Amino acid sequence: MSEEISWSPYDKVLHLAPYDVWRRLRDEAPVYRNDDLDFFALSRHADVEAASREPLLYSSAYGTVLEIMGSEPLGTGHMIFIDPPKHTELRALVSRAFTPRRISALETSIRQLCAEMLDPQIGGDGFDYVQDFAAQLPSKVISELLGVDPADREDIRKLIDQTFHQEEGQGMVNDISFAAQIKIHEYLTNMLDERRKNPRDDMMTSLVQAEIVNENGTRRLTNQECADFTNLLVSAGTETVARLLGWAGSVLAEHPDQRAELAADSSLLGGAIEELLRYESPSPVQARMLTEDVELHGVQMPAKSRVLLITGSAGRDERKYPDADKFDIHRKFDSHVSFGLGTHYCLGASLARLEGRIGLEETLKRFPEWNVDREKSVRSHTSTVRGYEQLHFVLG
Ligand code: HEM
């Protein structure tokens, strides 16, 4: 008889290479139960997809990270933790400011930011691709997007970094992270007040001006809602992009032929980013709370169960992707769930794709080849985000 399967998002060893266990979950326990940590987990693509399409049954209101979920809704203003119909209204409002036009207008500055960080490494022996580049790019881009004054950008970048500070045993729930979150919140609130008085052509101004008409008349965002949204952009759009680019650095070093193809033909980069997202999902686990009893694959999940949707496993599901463990930038596929799906589908997906594509293009232009010093490289571990904290490129 085969060994009993055990999986937990807190297991640091499994986190390094989860794919064999996730395959066993998909094959042998598609509704996996972990009694010790009191959760169920869905690992097949079709099940993750179906659950994501039922946001009221699989609620986000209790939190979407296992360690912050309690028996009551969180009651925060972050739309990632809000169910429809309130979520629908908030998302419609912020989408007035977070527009495709505003995102595509960032392309030139993203290229410039890449050049500022990558050019100094030309001619050197190597550098830390994550710390010196991938982890800095997203917070700089968000500052630009929000319209943070250039003089404040370095301070804001450092504060954003501190919000991701981890303490052993406490994870991201610690004093350094809290203090940084409060400072960012104050800064953003002041910025919003300022934009109400003196509008500019930036996203903060569009946010305070955004309005929709509902049955009670015209509805605008409160300052608190604007600040909650901008805070969410910072937390959702920083670490994830850093991990995506880190995975690009690592996976392409292991596939030098495909890397050479990408260096020679930038039109392949868009497909390569999708394949990277499928193959190594930067945010591989999304938690939900069941609001009613559900039976799936013969397993009863009672209402008020915590259910983890393993999007990272869904990306490797052979039922959806033939030869799923093979990395192939030419793979043809219609979709993946690495940006979530349905109601909470990643609002920043187009920005993430843009940063990924340009970040990788600018890297390959300067460094068509690199090796990775695996001994020196460090993986980060949280229960929701997976990737490299440090990735040492060896050049020449
Ligand atoms: C590679 C980079 C990224 C990945 C892998 C990623 C992944 C995700 C996932 C899986 C969700 C759904 C969470 C859930 O269903 O509970 C999500 C939601 C979200 N993401 Fe991203 N994300 C990335 C980049 C970004 C960026 C750059 C931004 C904005 C600057 C952003 C903003 C958001 C927001 C606001 C939501 C919540 C949407 C809602 O609740 O309606 N993300 N993201």
Side-chain angles (χ1 to χ4, degrees), residues 52 60 63-65 78-82 87 91 94 98 103 138 141-142 145 229-230 232-245 273 277 280-288 309 311 336-353 355-356:
S52 306
S60 294
T64 59
V65 179
H78 290 161
M79 71 181 187
I80 201 161
F81 302 141
I82 295 176
H87 173 274
R91 184 142 172 161
V94 301
F98 198 89
I103 301 307
V141 170
I142 286 184
L145 172 71
F229 173 63
T230 41
L232 175 63
L233 288 188
V234 168
S235 56
T238 308
E239 232 203 328
T240 43
V241 175
R243 301 297 159 248
L244 168 64
L245 281 167
I273 294 295
L277 285 160
E280 292 289 12
S281 175
S283 171
V285 181
Q286 328 299 326
R288 297 290 189 262
L309 309 180
T311 43
H336 58 68
V337 286
S338 297
F339 283 129
L341 200 80
T343 306
H344 292 281
Y345 178 75
C346 177
L347 184 73
S350 55
L351 178 57
R353 288 181 165 122
E355 289 183 66

Side-chain angles (χ1 to χ4, degrees), residues 138-210:
S139 47
K140 291 183 177 188
V141 170
I142 286 184
S143 286
E144 174 95 28
L145 172 71
L146 297 177
V148 172
D149 280 332
D152 299 334
R153 286 196 185 162
E154 188 51 22
D155 288 348
I156 291 295
R157 193 186 69 74
K158 286 189 184 142
L159 283 175
I160 293 177
D161 261 13
Q162 286 169 17
T163 65
F164 292 103
H165 180 80
Q166 300 269 339
E167 286 281 337
E168 192 63 41
Q170 289 172 270
M172 267 166 61
V173 185
N174 62 69
D175 291 349
I176 294 180
S177 170
F178 272 143
Q181 285 174 40
I182 290 168
K183 280 192 192 150
I184 292 183
H185 190 84
E186 275 170 14
Y187 183 88
L188 294 173
T189 309
N190 288 339
M191 227 176 125
L192 288 160
D193 283 339
E194 169 57 28
R195 294 303 190 273
R196 277 192 206 283
K197 287 183 222 134
N198 300 307
R200 293 193 198 169
D201 179 17
D202 62 19
M203 203 191 90
M204 286 300 228
T205 307
S206 304
L207 267 185
V208 297
Q209 291 176 344

Side-chain angles (χ1 to χ4, degrees), residues 101-118:
R101 186 188 64 82
R102 209 173 278 293
I103 301 307
S104 52
L106 287 170
E107 174 152 355
T108 311
S109 32
I110 297 177
R111 271 193 208 286
Q112 204 176 326
L113 289 169
C114 291
E116 280 166 22
M117 285 181 278
L118 294 173

